[in-house]
Amino acid sequence: MKEHIHPESLMMSHGYKPELSEGAIKSPIFQTSTFVFKNAEEGKAFFEIQNGKRKKHEGESLGLIYSRMNNPNLEILESRLTLWDGAEDAAVFESGMAAITTVLLEFLKPGDLFAYSIPLYGGTEHFIDSYIQKIGVHTVEFKPSHTKEQIIDIINKSGYADKLSLMFIETPSNPTNTLIDISMCKEIADHFSTKEKQVYLACDNTYMGPLWQHPLKHGADFSLYSATKYIGGHSDLIAGACLGNKALIARVRSLRSQLGCMAGPWTSWLMMRSLETLKIRMEEQARNAKKVAEFLVSHPKVEKIYYLGAIKEGTHEYEIYKKQYSSAGAMISFDVKGGEKEAFRLLNELKLIKLAVSLGSTESLAEHPATMTHAGVSDEHKKEMSISEKLIRLSVGLENAEDIIWDLTQALEKV
Ligand SMILES: *Cc1c(COP(=O)(O)O)cnc(C)c1O
């Protein structure tokens, strides 16, 4: 085979051996809870490896034991998913929240300090406030606008800087598309790392991955996903993923096996099917989004748009954009002139675009962050982060761009 084959060329076959499944061109769904051992010695050997009692011998692999630990659909999917991010390994979960919470639980313990950027996905912030703090982990927040020196200062002022163990960021942040420099965060993590203790950096890559941003290449230790979004891509499943190096993913996978939050065979199979069209879907969505953004920018009833393609050249944000992203993506937020009344009118008048939360799917979706996805954010933070009553978030889908623009035009007319 050619030395470098593009990920999109491998999504139909990578990690799957037809000869193990009667020659079937596609992987069957391995709808099974357990696997038969050839003999007792084999069962013993598999368990020794699974439980970390000994290292694998040369050429030996961990055989299939029980579907909470491993399953062919899970394994094939994981090997395909690593290709986009150039990751050593991946662990797939039954939801994005399962992936995020498993990483936080594995890499934080009582007394540790956890530093994270705001705004984060509502579910992640809720888990930090309601659980992580309850188990005695100290937390500090920083903002996309903060410089490296300011973040280091915030961590030092917490009084627990020597206990910093994990940093967590979301870039672009939802819903206003503000950017955080991943390699700068890596420098901060390194600044607080010692010989005994490495500070890890996790990045929620749901908004722009796995195609347009590769956090691991900028120094992050984990690239996390709600695979419900672009990876699944059809609004018909809930799933998550965590990518990183072999040693770290082994820890994540071990806790996942104990918690039992791995993706099931059917979810994994659906995602394998989705991955075959990931690139063409995401690229077409981004092309549509560009046209929609151009339309919105010049519309008299639109006050401001938050879109990566609208970042002004010459700014610090533009530098991060050029360094970290290969596309402006397909998420656009915008302020309608007016307030909640005008925003609601627009949402209620949409005919083709669906009024629903979630994103990254084949159909276009619109929602009102202030009262929906970000309803739980404090008024103070909402104000700081421009999550106002006039803000609408749009996930651009695969419809013909002319039709999406027609829908927005007719709805804006009624406002
Ligand atoms: C949806 C989402 C999540 C949570 O994922 P689920 O699959 O719903 O559990 C986490 N982060 C971001 C950025 C999301 O959009």
Side-chain angles (χ1 to χ4, degrees):
M1 278 265 243
K2 191 166 150 251
E3 204 175 307
H4 176 73
I5 310 245
H6 299 86
E8 62 270 28
S9 308
L10 292 169
M11 286 304 120
M12 287 63 87
S13 58
H14 186 72
Y16 171 64
K17 296 194 183 98
E19 62 273 22
L20 297 180
S21 297
E22 309 276 6
I25 181 87
K26 289 288 139 170
S27 167
I29 303 166
F30 288 86
Q31 194 70 47
T32 185
S33 59
T34 193
F35 299 86
V36 180
F37 303 132
K38 285 197 189 83
N39 49 44
E41 287 74 13
E42 186 186 73
K44 178 181 174 184
F46 290 175
F47 268 95
E48 281 171 351
I49 300 170
Q50 171 70 26
N51 296 338
K53 286 246 171 68
R54 65 168 174 88
K55 289 244 171 337
K56 288 178 206 159
H57 301 312
E58 190 79 7
E60 191 184 27
S61 59
L62 172 63
L64 296 159
I65 299 175
Y66 183 68
S67 285
R68 179 156 46 73
M69 297 159 185
N70 50 3
N71 173 289
N73 293 121
L74 199 58
E75 292 184 345
I76 299 163
L77 171 64
E78 285 169 349
S79 61
R80 285 184 197 173
L81 206 50
T82 58
L83 300 176
W84 301 99
D85 275 302
E88 281 182 17
D89 207 352
V92 176
F93 294 80
E94 199 59 38
S95 72
M97 282 311 297
I100 292 167
T101 53
T102 301
V103 167
L104 297 194
L105 291 175
E106 176 60 26
F107 294 92
L108 291 171
K109 61 179 185 312
D112 279 355
L113 178 67
F114 176 51
Y116 61 96
S117 67
I118 51 166
L120 289 182
Y121 176 72
T124 310
E125 255 190 75
H126 187 61
F127 183 70
I128 296 166
D129 293 344
S130 70
Y131 192 84
I132 288 298
Q133 290 174 354
K134 191 177 77 186
I135 62 168
V137 172
H138 307 287
T139 62
V140 282
E141 309 168 343
F142 57 91
K143 294 177 202 153
S145 59
H146 282 142
T147 62
K148 180 178 166 185
E149 289 67 33
Q150 284 171 318
I151 299 170
I152 289 177
D153 199 43
I154 289 169
I155 292 169
N156 279 329
K157 284 202 175 116
S158 73
Y160 302 102
D162 59 326
K163 296 281 195 281
L164 181 66
S165 56
L166 184 65
M167 291 179 70
F168 191 105
I169 55 173
E170 204 174 302
T171 175
S173 74
N174 175 5
T176 49
N177 283 329
T178 40
L179 304 183
I180 301 175
D181 187 336
I182 300 170
S183 55
M184 173 194 78
C185 292
K186 168 69 175 162
E187 287 167 24
I188 298 168
D190 285 346
H191 175 91
F192 288 101
S193 293
T194 60
K195 262 203 221 82
E196 293 75 40
K197 176 187 68 92
Q198 193 189 333
V199 178
Y200 297 113
L201 173 64
C203 178
D204 184 330
N205 200 30
T206 302
Y207 246 56
M208 293 295 276
L211 213 60
W212 302 316
Q213 170 173 260
H214 301 116
L216 303 177
K217 299 206 164 113
H218 298 279
D221 298 290
F222 301 103
S223 181
L224 286 157
Y225 292 97
S226 167
T228 310
K229 315 295 163 58
Y230 288 101
I231 295 173
H234 295 71
S235 296
D236 57 6
L237 61 83
I238 300 278
C242 174
L243 282 69
N245 73 29
K246 277 201 181 324
L248 293 179
I249 297 301
R251 285 179 61 181
V252 172
R253 196 176 273 130
S254 168
L255 184 58
R256 184 190 66 178
S257 289
Q258 296 171 62
L259 296 172
C261 52
M262 71 297 154
W266 172 229
T267 305
S268 303
W269 188 90
L270 279 173
M271 272 196 278
M272 283 198 258
R273 192 181 165 124
S274 292
L275 281 180
E276 298 190 11
T277 54
L278 178 86
K279 185 160 185 255
I280 55 167
R281 278 189 283 113
M282 289 184 77
E283 286 183 343
E284 182 65 9
Q285 285 174 260
R287 268 194 293 276
N288 275 350
K290 186 163 182 279
K291 291 178 193 158
V292 171
E294 278 160 12
F295 160 77
L296 287 171
V297 143
S298 54
H299 197 285
K301 287 187 185 164
V302 174
E303 200 171 281
K304 183 169 179 187
I305 87 162
Y306 306 86
Y307 166 63
L308 266 55
I311 298 172
K312 295 261 175 313
E313 268 184 60
T315 59
H316 178 55
E317 265 225 311
Y318 191 78
E319 271 173 47
I320 304 175
Y321 171 53
K322 282 287 146 195
K323 179 170 79 170
Q324 237 163 249
Y325 302 90
S326 59
S327 163
M331 293 300 296
I332 303 171
S333 292
F334 60 97
D335 289 332
V336 261
K337 283 198 180 136
E340 185 179 287
K341 187 165 145 268
E342 287 72 16
F344 277 19
R345 185 74 203 268
L346 170 61
L347 289 169
N348 291 338
E349 291 294 341
L350 291 170
K351 294 186 164 45
L352 181 67
I353 301 168
K354 298 287 175 277
L355 171 55
V357 298
S358 197
L359 60 103
S361 182
T362 45
E363 70 279 301
S364 294
L365 299 175
E367 63 110 6
H368 188 249
T371 59
M372 297 170 192
T373 47
H374 293 70
V377 175
S378 71
D379 287 345
E380 187 199 336
H381 280 165
K382 271 189 193 152
K383 202 161 170 211
E384 273 175 12
M385 298 177 305
S386 309
I387 307 171
S388 67
E389 311 222 298
K390 56 192 169 179
L391 184 74
I392 285 175
R393 187 185 79 178
L394 194 61
S395 167
V396 180
L398 286 179
E399 303 88 346
N400 190 307
E402 281 176 24
D403 299 333
I404 302 172
I405 291 169
W406 160 81
D407 198 16
L408 288 166
T409 307
Q410 65 83 23
L412 278 162
E413 255 165 39
K414 314 238 169 62
V415 171

